[in-house]
Amino acid sequence: MSFTNDKTTLKGVVEEVVYYNNNNYYAVCYVQTDSEYTAVIGYMPYISEGETITVTGSWTVHAEYGRQFKAEYFEKDMPKEKSDILKYLSSGVIKGVRQATAEKIINKFGEKALEVIAHSPEQLAQIKGISPKKAAQIGESYSLQLGAQDIIIFLQKYGISAAYAVRVHNHFGGASVDVVKNNPYVLAQEVYGIGFKTADKIAINMGVALNSPARIKAAISFTLWEGALNGHTYLPRNVLIRNTCNLIGVDSGECDAVISSMLFSGMLMEEKLPTTQAIYQPALHFSEKQAALLLTKIAQVGFNDSRLTADSIINEMEKEHNIKLAYHQKEAVYSSLENGAVVITGGPGTGKTTIIKAIKKVMEGLGKKIALAAPTGRAAKRISEVCGMEAKTLHRLLEVGFSEDEKDLKFNRDDKNPLQCSVLIVDEMSMVDIVLFHSLLKAVAMGTRLIMVGDSDQLPSVGAGIVLSDIISSGAIHTVSLTEIFRQAKESMIVVNAHKINSGQYPVLNKKNSDFFLVSRQSGQEVLQSIIELCKSRLPATYRYDPVSQIQVLTPTRKGPTGVNALNEQLQKALNPPNKNKREKLFRAVTFREGDKVMQIKNNYQAEWKGISDDSEGIGVFNGDIGRIEAIDTKNETITVIFDDKIAVYDFMRLDEIDLAYAVTVHKSQGSEFDAVVMPMYPIAPMLQNRNLLYTAITRARELVVLVGRDEVIKTMVDNVYEMQRFSMLQHRLRAAK
């Protein structure tokens, strides 16, 4: 036993493997060291009885199984003695080899058995019962193991744990070491969880020069990718140079030269601007350019459906629901009849949902086939309930899938296989980014009406672009703005205050019999404690809300005393405390517990799911989906999460895809609605204390808003009209194509 960097290292022989997960290589085994017989747990690919392994990690105590050694780094020495080789081969770790076959191989080749399997497996066909085909399969299986071992050992030298090394191996296969040696930056580009700085550290340790064109090229690509994560479809050349130089500390002239080289080779794309160049990733350049062309074509198709027929259907609807459509609402219906593409925009209480219902009813009356869609599961579920017909998420509508090699995301619905509808209504358009928008437009056949509904004053999409805002600002697409707040909505201070905030006025607080309150608190600890009390007892007692499913805490930031991290830790203790009947899984600094409210925090297009109320199946769980942990299976290393519209099972290796969601950022709440929203009003970074964010947060609430903290913070947010600039040329392209 030895100690390295406060970690313990054990070396011994694997005597028994009591659990092994073939999907993620998580194992539980018993190892005999020089001094003890102990349980070892961790990610150990193709581990087998009879092997000598060296593991580095720490001791833990499991509530049920007692003292265990948790391996973070792992390597193994292949067995050398005949008895150990026989034990290894008999374990079944090599596909096609069991006890009887193992004995034949040992009898034939003795201590050279593994060498033969690795380098000349065709010799195995000399043994009776092993065909040339089976010999090749045995060699291939063993080669796969050696590849996994090689990449694990290779990456551990650079501080990459076995768990992430397994991801690398799963992604690149047996050639992983060669791939990483050839271009270590591919780790940051293609393997989730390994960032640019880690890849850069590996590259430098491998001898890549600080001003190497390969290093600068990787940094430029990463800077553009990071820009896309911040909403930019491109970066001005001067901004790209500055950010790249700040990232890796190279000379701006060297960076500029590499950009020119990448433009020449087609690795980057450019557009001339009056004062600089717009530098794009090719995929974003293509999506933005094509989206403008396709939307313009769709919009240019005109229709001559009768307004008289529409008026007749609207009159029936008004009588049936005892409502009266306003002028702009009727104008929205007429516009959807006459134009190939229409935008309907407006704030809360202006009747966007009523318009969707009216357009649906009119189009049905005219014999049109309608499809409803929204960016998120929650938004789709809400519009389904309102309209009485199924609405799909955009990814389900477009039938998300993968290419034949399962490496590239693709939609089965496209220009060759368009959507089978004559009217497509998309709600919550403010959430749609440029890549998804382009994919959607490709699937809209010419002659299909595209009706886009949303609130352009909401926060923009998480992905690149400001699609809805750009479309409206371009003036190229017929737009109907709903401005009138209806009588029933005027009775809600949520609606009234949303419009006040949006116009730069301070909200009305604590009006009697209201649905909008401020609980005045000063310190961060007081704010935190009051939020816990509201969620745990006060709001459930007064309004009969379920504290987990009906109340949502929204906050502008992740860090600080009132950030997501602190709020989730305390809300979990209050709303779902430890219980001997509830299983748990500690992942990094987060304890996941059965019953916890969780959110998917990254798009996973390959994640499989099953329907809740039917036998449907599909793939894709997306950033912002909220669910609850139904079960934690510690034996099979899985967590089952029930979302609004699906059930997904997470392997423990995928737990970095989810986070606790008792509190979420305002950005992550887009497209969702909650019965009650509770939000801290406590000083944070000035760029996050802005009007747009406050407006978005309170419009997520259906019935109740409770702000907790300082009145001056509310005023600061209303006064601050700062919005982070997003670099996008969609507006310009639409104007040019008009």
Side-chain angles (χ1 to χ4, degrees):
M1 182 186 298
S2 64
F3 295 88
T4 309
N5 296 329
D6 298 325
K7 298 288 186 183
T8 304
T9 299
L10 300 180
K11 183 173 183 178
V13 178
V14 179
E15 296 293 338
E16 182 182 5
V17 178
V18 295
Y19 174 75
Y20 183 75
N21 187 315
N22 286 301
N23 294 319
N24 66 6
Y25 311 133
Y26 186 86
V28 178
C29 63
Y30 283 94
V31 174
Q32 180 66 61
T33 71
D34 290 338
S35 59
E36 62 183 315
Y37 184 77
T38 187
V40 177
I41 61 173
Y43 297 98
M44 296 176 280
Y46 304 107
I47 193 168
S48 170
E49 295 164 5
E51 292 179 313
T52 299
I53 65 171
T54 302
V55 289
T56 301
S58 56
W59 291 100
T60 63
V61 178
H62 191 280
E64 186 175 350
Y65 301 114
R67 187 170 180 260
Q68 300 176 326
F69 187 83
K70 184 177 182 180
E72 296 178 28
Y73 302 100
F74 157 82
E75 59 183 288
K76 59 184 177 180
D77 299 325
M78 299 310 294
K80 295 178 176 62
E81 301 295 328
K82 284 176 64 174
S83 59
D84 289 337
I85 296 172
L86 177 61
K87 191 174 184 180
Y88 169 75
L89 291 175
S90 301
S91 69
V93 70
I94 297 179
K95 190 175 181 180
V97 180
R98 290 288 181 179
Q99 180 77 33
T101 306
E103 289 176 355
K104 291 179 182 179
I105 294 173
I106 293 296
N107 290 337
K108 177 70 176 176
F109 299 107
E111 293 173 353
K112 293 186 177 181
L114 294 180
E115 185 179 332
V116 169
I117 294 172
H119 302 295
S120 51
E122 67 278 0
Q123 292 188 43
L124 297 174
Q126 300 171 16
I127 299 171
K128 187 177 180 180
I130 300 180
S131 66
K133 183 178 179 181
K134 184 174 181 180
Q137 288 175 340
I138 292 171
E140 186 179 335
S141 176
Y142 187 57
S143 176
L144 188 66
Q145 292 184 44
L146 294 180
Q149 182 179 339
D150 288 347
I151 191 63
I152 287 172
I153 293 170
F154 175 75
L155 290 177
Q156 283 177 173
K157 292 185 295 185
Y158 305 109
I160 305 295
S161 70
Y164 279 113
V166 166
R167 287 188 178 189
V168 175
H169 180 257
N170 285 345
H171 189 77
F172 297 114
S176 295
V177 173
D178 290 337
V179 169
V180 175
K181 282 183 176 178
N182 184 55
N183 178 17
Y185 295 103
V186 76
L187 293 173
Q189 295 162 2
E190 298 191 29
V191 182
Y192 180 73
I194 299 179
F196 176 83
K197 289 183 178 179
T198 300
D200 192 42
K201 178 182 174 183
I202 293 172
I204 291 169
N205 286 336
M206 286 171 56
V208 174
L210 295 180
N211 65 343
S212 160
R215 182 173 184 246
I216 298 172
K217 188 182 295 183
I220 289 167
S221 295
F222 173 77
T223 302
L224 281 172
W225 176 78
E226 196 173 49
L229 290 180
N230 288 320
H232 307 299
T233 61
Y234 73 87
L235 289 179
R237 187 166 184 151
N238 59 322
V239 173
L240 177 59
I241 292 170
R242 183 189 68 218
N243 292 356
T244 302
C245 292
N246 289 340
L247 177 67
I248 59 172
V250 296
D251 180 74
S252 60
E254 292 177 310
C255 184
D256 192 49
V258 173
I259 290 174
S260 294
S261 171
M262 294 174 76
L263 287 168
F264 182 77
S265 66
M267 292 181 68
L268 299 177
M269 304 299 288
E270 68 174 333
E271 294 278 354
K272 301 288 185 182
L273 298 176
T275 57
T276 184
Q277 287 172 287
I279 307 296
Y280 284 84
Q281 298 176 44
L284 286 177
H285 182 262
F286 183 73
S287 288
E288 188 179 84
K289 195 171 181 178
Q290 289 299 306
L293 292 173
L294 290 171
L295 182 58
T296 302
K297 286 182 180 179
I298 292 167
Q300 286 172 346
V301 178
F303 299 93
N304 297 309
D305 288 298
S306 170
R307 285 196 178 198
L308 291 175
T309 305
D311 283 334
S312 175
I313 297 170
I314 289 171
N315 289 336
E316 288 178 16
M317 177 184 168
E318 289 176 330
K319 289 176 184 177
E320 182 182 346
H321 297 284
N322 193 27
I323 59 172
K324 191 74 178 173
L325 295 189
Y327 170 79
H328 286 299
Q329 288 184 306
K330 284 189 177 181
E331 194 58 36
V333 177
Y334 298 145
S335 296
S336 70
L337 284 173
E338 297 161 0
N339 296 278
V342 176
V343 171
I344 301 169
T345 185
T350 58
K352 295 191 299 296
T353 303
T354 301
I355 286 302
I356 293 174
K357 288 168 64 178
I359 292 172
K360 170 183 171 287
K361 202 163 187 69
V362 168
M363 293 297 182
E364 284 176 337
L366 293 170
K368 311 296 184 186
K369 186 176 180 182
I370 301 160
L372 297 177
T376 67
R378 286 205 160 202
K381 184 179 179 181
R382 176 170 51 82
I383 205 67
S384 294
E385 292 168 349
V386 167
C387 292
M389 70 171 283
E390 182 186 19
K392 295 181 178 180
T393 64
L394 288 172
H395 287 88
R396 285 189 69 184
L397 179 79
L398 298 175
E399 298 174 12
V400 65
F402 280 85
S403 56
E404 290 183 8
D405 60 7
E406 295 192 350
K407 288 186 176 181
D408 297 319
L409 176 72
K410 66 183 288 287
F411 291 108
N412 291 322
R413 293 291 182 179
D414 55 18
D415 52 342
K416 296 180 180 62
N417 182 29
L419 295 167
Q420 298 300 303
C421 61
S422 49
V423 180
L424 173 60
I425 304 173
V426 182
D427 195 18
E428 295 286 359
M429 266 297 298
S430 64
M431 295 183 64
V432 178
D433 63 47
I434 191 63
V435 174
L436 183 56
F437 188 53
H438 172 224
S439 297
L440 176 68
L441 294 175
K442 279 202 301 183
V444 177
M446 289 301 118
T448 297
R449 292 173 171 87
L450 175 61
I451 299 157
M452 298 165 281
V453 184
D455 182 351
S456 59
D457 291 318
Q458 297 280 351
L459 289 172
S461 60
V462 174
I466 40 173
V467 171
L468 181 62
S469 180
D470 273 349
I471 293 172
I472 294 170
S473 300
S474 73
I477 305 301
H478 190 87
T479 299
V480 179
S481 297
L482 306 176
T483 55
E484 182 181 347
I485 305 174
F486 293 95
R487 182 181 57 79
Q488 188 175 358
K490 286 179 180 177
E491 296 172 3
S492 166
M493 291 310 299
I494 295 174
V495 173
V496 171
N497 282 336
H499 286 275
K500 280 182 173 291
I501 289 166
N502 206 29
S503 62
Q505 302 175 58
Y506 300 139
V508 176
L509 304 170
N510 300 338
K511 184 179 178 181
K512 189 176 181 181
N513 298 321
S514 175
D515 54 9
F516 198 106
F517 299 95
L518 170 68
V519 177
S520 183
R521 297 290 185 269
Q522 291 300 307
S523 72
Q525 187 58 39
E526 287 176 330
V527 172
L528 179 63
Q529 193 56 44
S530 291
I531 289 174
I532 293 166
E533 290 171 3
L534 284 162
C535 295
K536 183 180 180 181
S537 54
R538 291 177 62 183
L539 297 184
T542 304
Y543 297 93
R544 300 290 186 265
Y545 287 142
D546 177 276
V548 176
S549 64
Q550 292 181 283
I551 302 172
Q552 184 62 57
V553 179
L554 301 181
T555 181
T557 182
R558 293 197 61 83
K559 298 180 180 179
T562 60
V564 164
N565 296 337
L567 283 163
N568 271 325
E569 181 182 350
Q570 296 305 315
L571 286 166
Q572 184 192 44
K573 288 179 182 177
L575 303 179
N576 190 31
N579 185 308
K580 64 180 182 180
N581 296 319
K582 291 185 176 182
R583 283 165 291 192
E584 299 180 351
K585 168 61 181 174
L586 177 64
F587 182 79
R588 296 178 181 168
V590 178
T591 297
F592 292 107
R593 185 174 298 128
E594 289 176 339
D596 272 338
K597 185 177 186 178
V598 293
M599 173 182 276
Q600 178 82 9
I601 58 174
K602 64 163 289 218
N603 288 334
N604 185 333
Y605 300 103
Q606 292 177 304
E608 297 178 352
W609 54 260
K610 293 185 177 181
I612 293 176
S613 57
D614 54 32
D615 295 327
S616 63
E617 295 181 347
I619 58 170
V621 184
F622 303 108
N623 192 353
D625 287 350
I626 294 177
R628 194 184 289 208
I629 294 177
E630 173 72 9
I632 297 177
D633 186 337
T634 54
K635 180 180 179 182
N636 292 308
E637 300 283 317
T638 60
I639 288 182
T640 300
V641 178
I642 297 181
F643 293 97
D644 287 326
D645 57 348
K646 54 186 171 280
I647 301 172
V649 178
Y650 289 76
D651 190 283
F652 278 4
M653 278 190 68
R654 286 178 48 212
L655 294 186
D656 52 1
E657 294 181 17
I658 60 172
D659 200 357
L660 295 177
Y662 299 100
V664 301
T665 62
V666 178
H667 280 85
K668 291 287 188 184
S669 73
Q670 288 174 266
S672 296
E673 277 192 349
F674 312 97
D675 291 319
V677 165
V678 178
M679 185 178 182
M681 289 289 109
Y682 189 74
I684 50 171
M687 62 184 294
L688 292 174
Q689 283 191 172
N690 66 68
R691 182 186 301 173
N692 189 221
L693 190 142
L694 179 60
Y695 172 79
T696 299
I698 67 172
T699 54
R700 299 304 88 208
R702 274 190 291 259
E703 300 173 2
L704 181 69
V705 169
V706 183
L707 307 179
V708 184
R710 304 180 187 177
D711 178 65
E712 62 265 28
V713 172
I714 300 173
K715 293 177 178 177
T716 298
M717 295 185 81
V718 173
D719 291 341
N720 183 8
V721 294
Y722 169 85
E723 287 183 51
M724 183 182 290
Q725 180 186 7
R726 288 195 171 198
F727 297 117
S728 163
M729 287 185 66
L730 180 62
Q731 179 186 151
H732 168 77
R733 295 183 194 279
L734 286 169
R735 283 177 178 163
K738 187 176 177 181

